[in-house]
Structure formats: structure tokens, C-alpha cells
Amino acid sequence: MAYWASVFVLAALWPGALSVTRYSIAEEMERGSVVANLAADLGLELGGLAQREVKLDIFTNKKYLDFNKKTGELYIVERIDREYLCPAKPTSCFLKLDFIIETPLRIFNIELGITDINDNAPHFRRDRVELDVSESATPGERFSLPNAVDPDVGINTIKTYKLSTSDHFTIEIQTGSDGTQYVDLVLTKSLDREEKAVHKLILTAVDGGVPVRSGTANIIVRVQDTNDNPPQFDKQTYTINMAENTPIGTLVVNLNATDLDEGSNSEIVYSFTLYTSEKTQDVFTLNPNTGEITVKGTIDYEDMKFYEMHIEAKDKGAHPLLGQCKIVVHVTDMNDNFPEITVQSVKNTVPENVPVGTVIALVGVSDRDTGDNGKINISIHEAMPFILNKSSDRPTHYNLIVSEPLDREKVPEYDITLIARDTGKPPLSDNETITVHLLDVNDNAPQFPQSFYTIRVMENNAPGSLLSSLTAFDPDLHENQYLVYFIIEKEIANTSMSMLFSINPENGNLYALKTFDYEIEKEFLFHIEARDSGSPPLSSNVTVHIIIVDQNDNAPVIVSPWRAHGSVVEEKIPRSTDKGSLVAKVIALDTDSVHNSRITYQFLQVTDASLFSLDQYNGEIRTMRMFSYKDSRHHRLVVVAKDNGEPALSATVTIKLLTVETDVKAYSDMTEMPLEYDIFSDINLYLVIGLASVSFLLLITILVTIVLKCQKSKPNKTAPPSRNSVISESNSTIADSPLVSNDAYWYSLFLAETRKGKLVVRQPVPKGSRYVVSSIPRGTGLSETSDSAASTL
């Protein structure tokens, strides 16, 4: 805002002197405000000024004003501050300058009178004043306060002082000889530090300008203490609940006695009074400086239910003051006592057949705690055939009784863990273990791992060899477990089992007493009994099946072609024999089992391999082509018959063939015709009758020989075969040879034998018995035996 305060022109022209032009401006005029129109005031033409040089010299060395030649106006370039230009606070303040126009030179003296405005507020040299006043000071005492300053002048300077509202203080203003005002703080009411330790006052200096401006200073009055207040506790009596067994060092209470005084007058020392018992002081300790009461001994509810402590608090003033209080500690029962189990009587050893309901032990329980902490529940740790019943006449006693049948073989010993647990929080428990051993009773019969034993015994075993170990198990103990083994007597063909086998009565080892021959004895079936030594003894038996396993201990026996002397057979065949004609048939028998008696045939030596062939399964030797004139008349064939055993056994036969120029058509036709009983001519009828008679006599001789042999060596229902007989028992455990049951074999055998001038007769006997095949040379009445042992098919 720009305005003219006043404009006046003083033109005093003295001879030889310049004129002075004065203006009055307010210091608050803004930049650009026009101070005066010098061209108009000085009578200058604007057009002429524009052609001349104009400058302003400001004596304060600061450019506050400037001149506009176009308008002829003097305007403010920099805001004018009266307090800066006239710091000594004179009554009047002028800014002097020269207005110079050249060509021709003219100088005008200009003075600007700066009018003061209230642009400065009063302020204190110290805005915070602190005073220490004793609370014992009397009303009327004075305290000097600093005065304020104001750079403005006249009515704009400080006019008066004011103090904020206070019940205890006021101010008085003094004026000095130079007009300066001084302020005193006056106490009007006694102070109480405990009521108010610090008084905060505000001193305000106010000027007389418009608008009014003021400045403030903070007056802090600190009230100095005197020992006029005793220490005081929050309560006269403190009631505290504390659990027993509280750890040592635990804080019981932190006493905080207060003393309204300060300094040493408020420093407090705590102590027990004489009313506190020594026993209490043994359990609790008091920190004299902090007032903390902590546990230093054992708190036991069962020993003391509550404690009383009398405490004194004393300050450190010159004349000490003190206060007192009482602390009552009620001890809370904690579950700090474990239940106790007392076994008053016990039976540590009982028979396993002890009756259900038998009392094993009498157990008592107790707990020193009270309430729920002293209530006890007792139980068995895990499921067992025992229970606890509470005694009717003694509530804290229990009977441990048998609740289920006991079995030593399942559980020989019981560790019965009794657990007593109270109902406190947290619950405490105690345990006691009662060990009960069960005495064995002979209540278990021996048991074999299997109900049926199949034992395979290789024939030709050594007498006394171990066959197997038949061990039974008895879960009982001691004599109830000691087992004795027996072979239950059984006779086979008037022979007792104890003559064939023996068993060790202590360990059940089964031995063979003789050497077995598979071709005579195939199997045995009997029972073995195991009996314990208890009273009464218990036993069980098991079935034993002995199977004699065949060995390849019999070599094949060649029964065809017939060999009367030695192992060489001589044969004659026509040279006109056709291709594929049967020359001879080699038949070998083996008395071993089926596997070991399977026979195959091979040429061991042949004169001409292109002329003869040998069927490896049926032993037939046939021509592979017709004889030619180049072929030799003599042929030597060596055939080996080998069984299927391991290692294989064999027999050989040598056949010498002589080719002749003979018409053998009728003979050849006879060899190819089917087997018929009417091929025999009347001439041979007598020969057949003789053969039958000889065969019958031979059979009788064989039976007598078998009986004698059985009496001397070993019983057997199977008669031993004769050297020149083939015996097979149908529907028995002895394996039948395919050759016996196959009529094709008998046809081949008959054909081969008849070509050698022999008769082969198959004599059927009742079903289930043997077939007896006899081989008799033609023209003889006696049986001729071969050089090999008989074979069982």
C-alpha cells in the first residue's frame, strides 16, 4: 500500500544557496510506490528532461529511490526501514539525496522525512527467566525481572507490562529517571512445593501503537523444598496371596512409599520393625533402598499358612520423618507333594492256574496336600489281567486281584505298574511296580511242528544212519517240558517197526537199523509219540511216512536175443531179405524204478552202417536195404543197452549174422503174421505141454526160495524174482514197466524168441497178482538161465 503522508515543498532561496525540497513518507511504502512528481514540483519540463542527463546521489550509499524521466516521478526502488536508517531512535529520521540535471547544470537538494510506524513488537533480551524461591519464603518478597525493548519510537514503543494469572505472584512497575520502566515480581501468597513445585508465569510487554504489539518472556519459579512431609505408603495393610514353594528370589511386593519432599528429604530407607518375627525374616528379605521384598527361604503351606511383616519407611532429612505399613502373605497350597503308594503285602509268585479273584497285593495311597491336590486316583498303567478294588473298610487302600485266567506260556511274568495321580493342577503322580512270576503247570501237551512227516531215504543206506530229527515243542517248563520219544509199535509182515527203525528218546533223532532195497521195500508208515514228564504226563503223536528212493544200482539185463553160451549170438538170415525186414530184436530189462529203468539202445559196433538200423527205444534191428553180391556174408553187430540212471549202467550183446542162400519164405511169413495161438502145429503140442510143466515146477522152486530167503534176511510181501523170470505186481506201490502192461511188447518178445527156436508163454494169474514170463529153449525140457540178474519191471 502506498500513500502520501504529507507533501510539502520548502523553497528557501538564499543568495548563493541551493533550494531544499522536503517530502514526508511512511516507512511501510512498498516498492514502486511514487514518492513525488519532481518535474511538476520543481517546475521542470518533461520534454527538456528527456534530452538531458539526470542522476540521484543518495548519501546513505544505498539506492532506495529512482527517477523516471518520462513521467518526472520519484519512486521507491527498495523498501525503506526507519529503524535501520536511524538505529539511535532519534525523534526525526531523514533520507537525503541530490537531484542533478546537466546541461545546464542544476542541483536540487531533497530530504525525505521517514514517518515511524508500529512495525516492531516489544521483545525481552531473555525469553526465559528462572527463579528459585524457598517454600518457606514470606509474602511480600520481591524478585527482579528483566525489562523489554522496542525499536519503535513515540507512541509505538513499550507502554506497560502484564503478568499471567497467578495466586501467588504479581508485578510492580518502576520508572527510572530516564523514563525506562523496570519490573519486580512480588510474592503475594505462601508457597507449598508439595502442592506445586514449579510455577510457570508469562510476563508480557505491550506497546502503544496501532495496532498494539507485544512481546513475552517465560518466568519459571522453582519452589525449593523443606522437609515438611513424612513418607507415606499406598496402603496401611497389603494382603498378598503367594503359592508355596515359590522359587527363591521371587518378588513378593515392591513397596513404594512416597515422600512429597525432594532431595535428601525424599530419599527413603526401608526396614523391618521389631514386630516382624525372626522366622518371617528367615523366609523374606527387604531391600532397604528399593523397598522390594523377595523370597529367600522355602515357603511351605504345610508348615505355615500365612506370614506378617511390619515395614518402616524413613526419609533422610535433617529431622527424619517416617511412615509404616503391614504386609500379610497368605500361602496358597500348591500341588507340591507327590502321592505315595505303599505296598503292604504282595504275592510275587503264583501258579499260572490261580483262580480269578485271588488277591495278589494290598496297596495303600496317601498325599500330604489338601483339597483337590490331595485327592488321589490309582490305576494300572496298561491293560493287564488284574484290577484294583477299593477296600470297603479302608478307603485309601486297594486290593490288587486277578481278573482273568493267566497263562504262563503266553506271559511268564507281569510287571504291574500302579500309578497314583492326584487331581491338582498340574497333577502329580507316583508309580510302584509289582512283579508277579507265574509258576508253570503242566497244561500243554507236546506239539510237533508238522502233523505228517514224509521222509525220503535213498536205498542202500548205511545201517544206523540218521534219517531225520523229529523234535516236538512243549511250552511248559522244567519236568513239564522234558520230552521222551517213542515209536508206536506196529508190525509189518511179522516184523516190528523197532527192528527197522530206532528213535533217540531224548532228542527225537530217527535212525535206520538196516539197509533198505527199493526193489524189495518201497515205503513204511508208522507213528511216533512225544510224552512230557509232567504229572500227569501229556503226549501227542505224529505220522511218519518213510519213502525208499531208488538208486541206479541194477544194470540192464539183456533177455533177448537168447544167449545160451557167452554173450555172442549167431543168427542166419536169407540174403534175399527185403529192405526194412526185422533181423533181430534186442530186449533188456532193468529192475530199478521207472526213471532208472528206461533203456535206450545203440550200436556200439556195426560192420556196415549203411545196411542195418537200430531203433533206440524198442531195440529192433532192421535192414536198411537189400543185400547185394558185394556185401560180406558175415556181419558182426555189437549193441549196448543203457539205462537212464546217474551214472548210467549198461549191458552189451554181440550178434553175428550169416547170410545164406536159403528159401526162407515160409519162415519169413511166420515172422510177419500176427500172434495167434493156433500157429503151433500138432507136432509142437507136446512141446508146449512140456514147457508148461517145466514152468510150473520153476514157479514152485522160486516160491520156496523166497520163503527161505525171507526167514534168513528180512520180511517182505514181495517175492524176489528168479534169474530167468520177469515179475510185476499190478496195483501196488511198485512201479509197473510199460513193457509189462503193453501187449505190443509181448508180441515183439514172442516174435523174437520164436525166431530163435524158443517159446515165450505169458501166463495170466488172478487180477492184482504177478505176470510170469518164462523163456525156454526149443527142444529142451529145462530152463536155461541168463548170465544177468533178474529185473523187476
Side-chain angles (χ1 to χ4, degrees), residues 575 608 611 625-633 635:
R575 291 183 63 84
D608 189 348
L611 186 56
R625 60 180 175 82
M626 294 185 66
F627 292 97
S628 67
Y629 68 94
K630 294 181 180 181
D631 293 326
S632 173
R633 295 182 60 190
H635 296 276

Side-chain angles (χ1 to χ4, degrees), residues 633-693:
R633 295 182 60 190
H634 297 276
H635 296 276
R636 188 172 185 270
L637 306 178
V638 180
V639 179
V640 59
K642 184 184 300 183
D643 62 22
N644 197 38
E646 184 63 36
L649 301 178
S650 62
T652 60
V653 63
T654 301
I655 303 174
K656 291 184 177 180
L657 293 180
L658 175 63
T659 58
V660 295
E661 301 294 338
T662 304
D663 185 6
V664 292
K665 177 174 177 24
Y667 179 80
S668 177
D669 291 342
M670 187 271 293
T671 60
E672 298 298 329
M673 65 184 298
L675 180 62
E676 295 291 345
Y677 285 101
D678 56 1
I679 65 173
F680 299 105
S681 63
D682 294 336
I683 301 174
N684 294 328
L685 179 59
Y686 300 104
L687 180 59
V688 172
I689 295 174
L691 179 59
S693 300

Side-chain angles (χ1 to χ4, degrees), residues 453-624:
Y453 286 87
T454 299
I455 303 173
R456 298 182 178 274
V457 180
M458 189 67 67
E459 67 171 330
N460 301 317
N461 60 294
S465 59
L466 177 65
L467 303 183
S468 180
S469 181
L470 308 176
T471 305
F473 172 72
D474 193 322
D476 293 325
L477 291 179
H478 309 304
E479 66 276 0
N480 298 329
Q481 189 186 39
Y482 297 150
L483 303 182
V484 180
Y485 298 89
F486 304 93
I487 295 178
I488 299 178
E489 288 298 334
K490 178 181 179 183
E491 290 189 357
I492 300 178
N494 297 323
T495 302
S496 172
M497 284 294 105
S498 59
M499 297 177 62
L500 302 177
F501 303 96
S502 173
I503 190 167
N504 188 319
E506 295 183 354
N507 57 25
N509 289 344
L510 184 64
Y511 300 91
L513 298 181
K514 57 164 289 184
T515 300
F516 297 109
D517 187 352
Y518 172 82
E519 285 71 36
I520 298 176
E521 299 150 322
K522 301 294 190 291
E523 62 181 1
F524 301 94
L525 195 67
F526 56 93
H527 299 281
I528 290 178
E529 178 182 299
R531 182 185 305 162
D532 63 28
S533 302
S535 179
L538 301 177
S539 63
S540 63
N541 59 68
V542 67
T543 301
V544 179
H545 184 202
I546 303 293
I547 298 177
I548 308 302
V549 180
D550 180 52
Q551 275 189 331
N552 192 27
D553 58 346
N554 293 284
V557 176
I558 297 177
V559 297
S560 176
W562 179 256
R563 293 168 296 171
H565 302 286
S567 59
V568 178
V569 178
E570 294 182 356
E571 298 285 352
K572 293 180 181 181
I573 58 173
R575 291 183 63 84
S576 60
T577 300
D578 294 332
K579 174 184 177 181
S581 298
L582 179 65
V583 175
K585 181 177 179 67
V586 179
I587 299 176
L589 301 178
D590 194 321
T591 57
D592 291 322
S593 65
V594 174
H595 179 77
N596 293 326
S597 65
R598 293 175 182 171
I599 297 175
T600 56
Y601 303 90
Q602 295 177 351
F603 277 133
L604 191 61
Q605 184 179 349
V606 60
T607 304
D608 189 348
S610 66
L611 186 56
F612 302 100
S613 66
L614 173 62
D615 191 303
Q616 64 173 337
Y617 297 110
N618 60 25
E620 291 181 352
I621 300 175
R622 293 182 180 272
T623 57
M624 297 177 63

Side-chain angles (χ1 to χ4, degrees), residues 183-211:
V183 183
D184 290 334
L185 182 67
V186 180
L187 179 65
T188 61
K189 183 179 179 182
S190 298
L191 298 174
D192 186 354
R193 193 201 65 80
E194 289 72 35
E195 179 183 346
K196 192 171 185 179
V198 177
H199 295 264
K200 296 181 179 180
L201 306 174
I202 299 176
L203 179 63
T204 305
V206 182
D207 63 18
V210 178

Side-chain angles (χ1 to χ4, degrees), residues 415-427:
D415 289 329
I416 307 170
T417 301
L418 304 179
I419 298 178
R421 181 178 286 107
D422 59 29
T423 58
K425 293 184 179 179

Side-chain angles (χ1 to χ4, degrees), residues 16 30 40 106 118 183 186 214 258 260 263 333 372 468 636 678 703 715 749 752-753:
E30 301 293 335
R106 294 186 64 182
N118 194 21
V183 183
V186 180
S214 62
T258 57
L260 299 178
D333 180 38
D372 290 341
S468 180
R636 188 172 185 270
D678 56 1
L703 292 177
L749 180 61
E753 292 298 324

